[in-house]
Amino acid sequence: HVLDGLQQVMGKLPDRSSRVSLDVRTTETVRLGVITRRKLTFRSDRTGRVAAYLFLPAKTPVTGRHPAVLCLQQTNRVGKLEAAGLSGNPGLAHAVHLARRGYVTLAADYPGFGESTYDFAARHGYASGTMKAIWDNIRAVDLLTSLDEVDPDRIGVIGHSLGGHNAMFTAAFEPRLRVIISNCGFTRFHKDDVPSWTGPRYMPRIRTRFRNNADRLPFDFPEIIGTFAPRPFLAIAAQGDRDFDYTGVLDSIDAARPVYGLYAARDRLQAAYPDI
């Protein structure tokens, strides 16, 4: 029911016929001390490729496989470069940071950012930029699970702002993401600027079908969090965030807590509200 509500707004999740060969092409390999960075592209669907940086730890665990994390960008023209530590805020270079801690990490461009030339035209078959991003992320998980270095049962996702809600949207549809972290990425629609979600990179149907009315929308973030249970979810919401009201995160966590309770997994639902 929740996933149906998401698809009413975002458009249908592509079917299995869209799962074309990844055709991974590596264009650069750089050694950075104890980690290796590879620049690559992979085929997401019939019409497009996604550019990304893959980070591999140098040391191999006893099993030969590492946990992996999909690292999603904030709203930033440079795209994946910030998560990869090549541009922007060093504090958001989580792909590099986690790789140095022993994770395989993948940082890819969100549609329309970085090297992406995606134009959000209807001919590509997506009703929203949000669903295009979800599908690209699902294919990124396909890529990670194809690697000998990755433990397919230990893959997580992390993101800030745009990446924060992109991580949540993707994890709702992708159960292989076993841990979800959203940093300053959402609030309840009733505590947000609903029209800000309606651009081509996001969900135009919020305006065209649901009239920018939070009461008419067929989903909200508490329901999304409910789809994660019993997977661990951490929300970080700064009290001084001027974009996403942290009290809407409080509301969402409180509303989703009984769902986690059904799985006897309340400790896997966590939130932090730094006073900044």
Side-chain angles (χ1 to χ4, degrees), residues 119-133:
D119 60 5
F120 304 95
R123 68 177 182 276
H124 299 297
Y126 299 93
S128 68
T130 296
M131 184 52 74
K132 166 62 174 169

Side-chain angles (χ1 to χ4, degrees), residues 76-174:
N76 192 324
R77 290 186 181 275
V78 302
K80 63 189 176 299
L81 294 181
E82 187 166 54
L86 295 171
S87 180
N89 183 352
L92 293 175
H94 32 57
V96 181
H97 173 74
L98 290 169
R100 288 177 175 147
R101 294 181 60 182
Y103 295 84
V104 173
T105 60
L106 186 70
D109 286 326
Y110 188 93
F113 290 111
E115 296 177 65
S116 172
T117 58
Y118 187 74
D119 60 5
F120 304 95
R123 68 177 182 276
H124 299 297
Y126 299 93
S128 68
T130 296
M131 184 52 74
K132 166 62 174 169
I134 290 169
W135 185 248
D136 287 354
N137 293 339
I138 289 173
R139 299 313 317 277
V141 176
D142 288 344
L143 191 158
L144 287 170
T145 60
S146 75
L147 301 175
D148 291 338
E149 297 89 346
V150 170
D151 181 345
D153 294 324
R154 293 195 295 163
I155 300 176
V157 62
I158 186 171
H160 170 70
S161 192
L162 166 66
H165 51 258
N166 190 16
M168 297 175 70
F169 295 152
T170 303
F173 289 98
E174 180 48 87

Side-chain angles (χ1 to χ4, degrees), residues 32 34-37 54-59 66-67 69 71 93-106:
L32 301 170
V34 298
I35 62 176
T36 299
R37 184 186 73 214
L54 173 70
F55 290 85
L56 299 169
K59 296 181 180 179
H66 299 261
V69 181
C71 300
H94 32 57
V96 181
H97 173 74
L98 290 169
R100 288 177 175 147
R101 294 181 60 182
Y103 295 84
V104 173
T105 60
L106 186 70

Side-chain angles (χ1 to χ4, degrees), residues 5-244:
L6 290 169
Q7 290 176 92
Q8 288 180 48
V9 179
M10 301 172 179
K12 287 290 185 182
L13 184 74
D15 60 25
R16 293 179 63 86
S17 67
S18 298
R19 222 177 203 112
V20 296
S21 170
L22 288 167
D23 186 27
V24 179
R25 302 175 187 176
T26 300
T27 58
E28 175 186 81
T29 301
V30 178
R31 186 66 179 267
L32 301 170
V34 298
I35 62 176
T36 299
R37 184 186 73 214
R38 293 180 186 169
K39 186 177 183 183
L40 55 81
T41 64
F42 62 90
R43 198 175 174 206
S44 173
D45 53 29
R46 300 184 192 90
T47 64
R49 301 184 66 83
V50 177
Y53 282 106
L54 173 70
F55 290 85
L56 299 169
K59 296 181 180 179
T60 304
V62 175
T63 63
R65 293 179 178 268
H66 299 261
V69 181
L70 182 60
C71 300
L72 304 181
Q73 67 165 87
Q74 68 163 328
T75 301
N76 192 324
R77 290 186 181 275
V78 302
K80 63 189 176 299
L81 294 181
E82 187 166 54
L86 295 171
S87 180
N89 183 352
L92 293 175
H94 32 57
V96 181
H97 173 74
L98 290 169
R100 288 177 175 147
R101 294 181 60 182
Y103 295 84
V104 173
T105 60
L106 186 70
D109 286 326
Y110 188 93
F113 290 111
E115 296 177 65
S116 172
T117 58
Y118 187 74
D119 60 5
F120 304 95
R123 68 177 182 276
H124 299 297
Y126 299 93
S128 68
T130 296
M131 184 52 74
K132 166 62 174 169
I134 290 169
W135 185 248
D136 287 354
N137 293 339
I138 289 173
R139 299 313 317 277
V141 176
D142 288 344
L143 191 158
L144 287 170
T145 60
S146 75
L147 301 175
D148 291 338
E149 297 89 346
V150 170
D151 181 345
D153 294 324
R154 293 195 295 163
I155 300 176
V157 62
I158 186 171
H160 170 70
S161 192
L162 166 66
H165 51 258
N166 190 16
M168 297 175 70
F169 295 152
T170 303
F173 289 98
E174 180 48 87
R176 292 176 297 175
L177 292 172
R178 306 301 292 272
V179 178
I180 306 100
I181 301 175
S182 176
N183 186 67
C184 297
F186 73 100
T187 189
R188 291 290 305 269
F189 281 125
H190 284 88
K191 294 186 175 182
D192 204 359
D193 174 20
V194 175
S196 68
W197 290 94
T198 64
R201 286 193 177 96
Y202 303 107
M203 296 168 276
R205 287 182 179 177
I206 288 179
R207 173 179 54 83
T208 60
R209 292 193 180 182
F210 300 99
R211 303 177 186 175
N212 292 335
N213 186 339
D215 289 333
R216 294 172 63 94
L217 290 175
F219 76 89
D220 204 346
F221 284 91
E223 289 87 355
I224 294 175
I225 297 170
T227 70
F228 302 157
R231 293 176 287 170
F233 174 60
L234 170 63
I236 305 168
Q239 295 183 38
D241 190 340
R242 296 182 180 181
D243 193 4
F244 297 116

